[in-house]
Amino acid sequence: MGEFELIESFFWRRPGQGPRRAVVGNGDDCAVIAPAPGMQLAVSTDTMVEGRHFLSTVDPARLGHKALAVNLSDLAACGAQPLAFTLALTLPRVDEAWLSALARGLLDLADEHECELIGGDTTAGPLSIGITVMGEVPPGQALLRSGAQPGDDLWVSGHPGEARLALEAFRGTLHPGLSGEAFEATRLAMEAPDPRVALGLGLRGVATAAIDISDGLLGDLGHILRRSRVGATVALDALPVSPWLASRSVAEQQDCILAGGDDYELLFTAPAAQRPAVAALADSLGLLLSRIGRIEADPGLRVRSTGLDEVQAGPLVPNRWVSFDHFRG
């Protein structure tokens, strides 16, 4: 099978398959897209490399899902509605059964979010998947990292830390190990994360800043603090602990939640006056949203044993957590 046969067999959408938003879609030198009148285009790119971002044993359908999910998560953090994406696929060889499963996982998620595959590239080499995703957002309503204000609450969605727990299970570092049920549940969180697109859309006009958790909660919070030129306090007793982490030691819980990464939950700030709106959004989505800290004028990140109530704030805890960095030794 050659390059163009590969594209036509696995990634070409027949009439009636998938969303059709592009003016000119897959098959030309360039795709042509037009956001809805008055909308702005949000664009993000992520690359996943075998051995760095995923294990060679991962189910290819889950790999296809995750490759797009991590990009949709960036749109969610921006409050953007998914529109279209391109796919750059590097393959060591053509394995038709593997490609069929990869395409199924990728395109099923794309269809769920009405995000059209409009082009890309295929080449031979070490396995990697690069996706550029495009979304649309009304002018002035994009969620940015630079909008956090002193006095804002700090919120996180879902249960960060499950993906890291699964990774440590794969590495064989957990003592005791996970039960079969716990391993399958956390492995699903690691291999097939759920991009919080609906949450991102609902946070327009509510949140002041947002980011998705890809490299670790505290590390990604640091990006908000630097861009917004503020500080923050995080309360350890306010962290959401998943049922699968609840049986682990407190130190292990904190390591996974605060520095685990690969969660693709949303971390966001909002004024205290927006607490009812955040609660209503959590109810409407059936999604846990946890208030874990506050934004402060003093620069820097502070971790306390307790800290949501400033009057009864607990003692400072040394910040020993380091988030993922591709180039840190």
Side-chain angles (χ1 to χ4, degrees):
M1 179 178 288
E3 177 182 359
F4 299 104
E5 291 85 2
L6 184 156
I7 295 169
E8 185 171 351
S9 295
F10 301 107
F11 301 106
W12 185 274
R13 312 306 300 277
R14 300 322 191 250
Q17 290 182 319
R20 296 286 179 176
R21 295 186 173 187
V23 178
V24 177
N26 200 354
D28 277 83
D29 287 315
C30 289
V32 180
I33 62 172
M39 301 291 272
Q40 295 178 332
L41 199 63
V43 182
S44 183
T45 298
D46 266 302
T47 300
M48 294 177 59
V49 179
E50 183 180 27
R52 189 67 170 175
H53 299 96
F54 60 91
L55 303 175
S56 61
T57 56
V58 67
D59 181 313
R62 289 188 177 182
L63 178 59
H65 172 105
K66 185 172 182 177
L68 182 58
V70 302
N71 286 270
L72 293 178
S73 182
D74 285 331
L75 291 185
C78 190
Q81 177 70 52
L83 181 64
F85 72 102
T86 62
L87 170 67
L89 185 60
T90 303
L91 296 168
R93 62 190 177 281
V94 175
D95 181 329
E96 295 185 30
W98 187 93
L99 276 167
S100 179
L102 178 86
R104 183 175 69 253
L106 177 83
L107 297 174
D108 281 353
L109 184 63
D111 291 350
E112 179 182 335
H113 292 279
E114 296 188 339
C115 192
E116 182 180 358
L117 175 58
I118 59 173
D121 186 40
T122 56
T123 188
L127 180 59
S128 70
I129 305 169
I131 287 179
T132 296
V133 71
M134 289 146 272
E136 54 187 16
V137 62
Q141 293 191 33
L143 303 177
L144 306 176
R145 301 176 181 182
S146 55
Q149 299 292 322
D152 283 353
D153 293 328
L154 178 64
W155 298 83
V156 69
S157 67
H159 285 109
E162 290 188 347
R164 179 57 179 267
L165 189 62
L167 179 61
E168 295 306 323
F170 274 110
R171 289 173 169 172
T173 65
L174 299 181
H175 304 288
L178 296 181
S179 68
E181 182 183 12
F183 177 64
E184 289 304 320
T186 56
R187 181 179 185 178
L188 183 64
M190 172 184 166
E191 295 179 343
D194 184 10
R196 303 303 188 185
V197 173
L199 174 59
L201 297 176
L203 287 173
R204 291 178 185 169
V206 174
T208 52
I211 192 171
D212 73 331
I213 304 175
S214 55
D215 296 328
L217 190 155
L218 291 187
D220 287 319
L221 172 58
H223 297 311
I224 289 180
L225 302 186
R226 283 188 290 274
R227 293 297 299 271
S228 297
R229 299 184 179 181
V230 292
T233 289
V234 172
L236 293 178
D237 68 333
L239 297 176
V241 180
S242 88
W244 310 117
L245 273 169
S247 62
R248 314 301 300 184
S249 70
V250 171
E252 198 168 34
Q253 293 174 20
Q254 294 172 354
D255 289 348
C256 288
I257 295 170
L258 295 176
D262 218 19
D263 293 304
Y264 305 100
E265 297 290 351
L266 294 192
L267 183 70
F268 62 94
T269 61
Q274 293 286 5
R275 289 177 191 173
V278 174
L281 186 57
D283 287 342
S284 68
L285 297 176
L287 178 63
L288 178 67
L289 299 178
S290 303
R291 183 164 60 96
I292 63 169
R294 62 181 178 272
I295 300 300
E296 299 164 337
D298 285 344
L301 173 59
R302 290 160 288 279
V303 180
R304 293 186 181 274
S305 57
T306 60
L308 289 184
D309 183 344
E310 293 184 65
V311 177
Q312 299 179 356
L316 286 170
V317 175
N319 184 358
R320 59 182 176 80
W321 295 279
V322 177
S323 292
F324 177 78
D325 185 308
H326 280 284
F327 299 104
R328 180 183 289 120

